[in-house]
């Protein structure tokens, strides 16, 4: 495979790998899931399937693109020489996966530069929902699709008519802070949704089933692929520092700035900035 691919070719490769990984994740879910380890807290779990699926993805990328860098949730980093980095979450929404919920995804993002959302250049992203077989896909400048159908963000006319998705961290302190911010937000928007998988929440913005998704403290692998889908569907991204941790917002352009401003004020108030 040539050293320089188009965004479409990168998306093709990412989709092929993600589909295979999704089949493995779904098969392991049917067979039964056990917690293999815990990370930041007792509720921050990793399953054997997380590790197995990431191993498969990493092997397939290495076969096709041996000189690219890799950044995965479970196996960490691998250096490269091409300037391309693959940012991978093998099973985004592990707790959902553990409980048998359909809300989990295989997320593969391709970027130029380091695995840092503030400096990378998005190239391609694919998120596959193994439980349903739905495939979200995007390439830079090529638009975004769900199962081949073009995606477009919603167009809320005001903040009061904006449906917002969010998520919560794994430590008790961060959860309490996030709930306090949410208490100030819920009366200003249409309603709140909590899915439990950042990649799918980003894709939901692209589909228009929510108007925005925000969360404080998500990792690059959580949102790499989904953020590219949302962006190519017309969403805008806002990133800011809050309490020493980054907050991310992916939103319909009509409400992005107003919502970002409100969230920043609420976080400053809760975190004592």
């Amino acid at each position: 495979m040539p050293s320089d691919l188009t965004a479409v070719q990168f998306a093709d490769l990412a989709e092929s790998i993600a589909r295979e990984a999704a089949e493995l994740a779904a098969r392991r879910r049917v067979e039964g899931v056990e917690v293999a380890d815990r990370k930041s807290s007792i509720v921050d779990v990793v399953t054997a399937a997380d590790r197995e699926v990431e191993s498969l993805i990493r092997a397939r990328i290495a076969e096709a693109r041996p000189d690219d860098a890799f950044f995965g949730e479970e196996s960490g980093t691998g250096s490269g020489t091409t300037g391309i980095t693959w940012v991978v979450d093998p099973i985004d929404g592990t707790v959902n996966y553990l409980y048998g919920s359909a809300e989990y995804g295989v997320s593969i993002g391709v970027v130029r530069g380091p695995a840092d959302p503030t400096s990378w250049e998005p190239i391609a992203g694919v998120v596959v929902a193994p439980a349903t077989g739905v495939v979200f896909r995007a390439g830079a400048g090529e638009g975004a699709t769900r199962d081949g159908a073009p995606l477009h963000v919603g167009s809320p006319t005001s903040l009061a008519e904006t449906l917002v998705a969010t998520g919560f961290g794994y430590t008790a302190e961060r959860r309490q802070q996030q709930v306090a911010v949410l208490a100030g937000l819920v009366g200003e928007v249409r309603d709140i949704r909590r899915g439990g998988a950042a990649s799918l929440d980003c894709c939901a913005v692209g589909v228009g089933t929510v108007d925005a998704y925000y969360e404080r403290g998500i990792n690059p692998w959580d949102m790499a692929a989904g953020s590219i889908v949302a962006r190519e569907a017309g969403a805008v991204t806002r990133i800011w520092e809050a309490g020493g941790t980054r907050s991310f917002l992916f939103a319909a352009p009509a409400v992005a700035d107003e919502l970002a401003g409100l969230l920043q004020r609420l976080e400053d108030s809760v975190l004592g900035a």
Side-chain angles (χ1 to χ4, degrees), residues 223-270:
M223 41 71 70
S227 67
I228 298 171
V229 171
R231 177 179 121 153
E232 287 297 314
V236 295
T237 302
R238 298 288 183 266
I239 306 172
W240 63 90
E241 291 290 326
T245 303
R246 288 175 182 163
S247 287
F248 293 84
L249 171 68
F250 312 94
V255 296
D257 289 336
E258 187 178 4
L259 182 54
L262 174 59
L263 287 167
Q264 288 178 60
R265 290 192 299 274
L266 289 169
E267 289 185 336
D268 286 347
S269 175
V270 167

Side-chain angles (χ1 to χ4, degrees), residues 46-272:
V46 57
T47 70
D50 285 275
R51 293 171 173 171
E52 185 180 10
V53 173
E54 180 159 311
S55 179
L56 170 68
I57 294 170
R58 190 163 188 167
R60 294 291 182 266
I61 293 170
E63 290 167 4
R65 304 277 306 177
D67 297 322
D68 289 351
F70 181 90
F71 188 64
E73 178 177 13
E74 308 305 339
S75 60
T77 62
S79 61
T81 59
T82 64
I84 302 298
T85 304
W86 294 72
V87 188
V88 172
D89 193 337
I91 300 178
D92 180 37
T94 297
V95 173
N96 287 346
Y97 183 72
L98 180 66
Y99 275 76
S101 167
E103 288 292 308
Y104 70 96
V106 173
S107 174
I108 301 178
V110 188
V111 302
R112 184 169 284 106
D116 181 348
T118 63
S119 59
W120 69 35
E121 177 188 341
I123 298 175
V126 174
V127 179
V128 178
T132 61
V134 172
V135 178
F136 299 97
R137 166 184 165 134
E142 301 294 333
T145 61
R146 177 180 60 181
D147 293 337
L151 300 183
H152 303 284
V153 296
S155 52
T157 57
S158 70
L159 200 59
E161 297 170 284
T162 299
L163 186 61
V164 180
T166 192
F168 300 103
Y170 287 111
T171 65
E173 180 183 14
R174 180 167 295 174
R175 285 172 179 269
Q176 290 164 350
Q177 293 166 345
Q178 289 168 320
V179 169
V181 170
L182 189 62
L185 176 68
V186 69
E188 304 296 327
V189 298
R190 184 187 294 275
D191 206 346
I192 302 295
R193 296 291 182 266
R194 156 66 159 151
S199 61
L200 294 177
D201 286 333
C202 286
C203 291
V205 176
V207 174
T209 51
V210 297
D211 299 308
Y213 161 62
Y214 87 93
E215 187 167 345
R216 174 173 166 251
I218 56 174
N219 296 294
W221 55 75
D222 295 319
M223 41 71 70
S227 67
I228 298 171
V229 171
R231 177 179 121 153
E232 287 297 314
V236 295
T237 302
R238 298 288 183 266
I239 306 172
W240 63 90
E241 291 290 326
T245 303
R246 288 175 182 163
S247 287
F248 293 84
L249 171 68
F250 312 94
V255 296
D257 289 336
E258 187 178 4
L259 182 54
L262 174 59
L263 287 167
Q264 288 178 60
R265 290 192 299 274
L266 289 169
E267 289 185 336
D268 286 347
S269 175
V270 167
L271 300 171

